[in-house]
């Protein structure tokens, strides 16, 4: 086995391990600008068998570090639902849905009135 082939194999294994480590929504995400012009940095993590998220930073506004804004999300394939999301820019909880869109994107939406009124964003994976 030549050194070049060994390096290529090691790189392929490393890429496979890295991509499998990001096989769900866990990680740090950058939101789009809210109504107040602020961008949030949100860390999504497993909380038991569900997914939760909290603010770990913000751009354009004093961050509310540690504030839980995603809770009780259940994963089904690339979709997360059944939980809630808090919108700090209007101080309101919404029924939530998140969908993995590949290439480090997560479509996040919150609805009221049984889904009649919704708003959403596409978040970008930071790490």
């Amino acid at each position: 086995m030549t050194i070049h082939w060994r390096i290529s194999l090691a790189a392929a294994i490393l890429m496979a391990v890295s991509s499998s480590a990001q096989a769900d929504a866990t990680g740090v995400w950058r939101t789009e600008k809210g109504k107040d012009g602020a961008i949030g940095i949100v860390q999504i993590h497993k909380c038991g068998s569900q997914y939760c998220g909290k603010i770990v930073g913000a751009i354009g506004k004093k961050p509310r570090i540690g504030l839980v804004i995603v809770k009780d999300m259940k994963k089904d394939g690339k979709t997360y639902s059944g939980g809630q999301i808090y919108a700090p820019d209007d101080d309101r909880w919404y029924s939530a849905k998140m969908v993995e869109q590949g290439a480090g994107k997560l479509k996040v939406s919150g609805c009221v009135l049984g889904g009649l009124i919704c708003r959403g964003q596409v978040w970008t994976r930071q790490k």
Side-chain angles (χ1 to χ4, degrees), residues 4-5 11 34 36 38 49 53-54 56 70 74 103 106 116:
H4 184 274
W5 193 85
D36 59 1
S49 62
K54 64 183 176 180
V56 295
V70 176
K74 297 167 194 74
L106 185 68
L116 292 176

Side-chain angles (χ1 to χ4, degrees), residues 72-83:
D72 303 328
M73 300 298 287
K74 297 167 194 74
K75 184 176 182 180
D76 182 13
K78 293 184 179 229
T79 301
Y80 302 76
S81 60

Side-chain angles (χ1 to χ4, degrees), residues 13-75:
I13 291 170
L14 183 59
M15 286 174 55
V17 169
S18 319
S19 63
S20 66
Q22 298 296 329
D24 62 14
T26 58
V28 178
W29 298 87
R30 179 185 173 127
T31 72
E32 292 179 14
K33 283 185 181 179
K35 292 178 189 175
D36 59 1
I39 295 171
I41 307 299
V42 178
Q43 180 179 28
I44 295 180
H45 58 279
K46 293 274 298 206
C47 44
S49 62
Q50 300 173 339
Y51 292 79
C52 302
K54 64 183 176 180
I55 295 175
V56 295
I59 301 167
K61 189 171 183 177
K62 182 178 177 185
R64 295 168 67 181
I65 303 295
L67 177 67
V68 173
I69 66 165
V70 176
K71 63 182 182 179
D72 303 328
M73 300 298 287
K74 297 167 194 74
K75 184 176 182 180

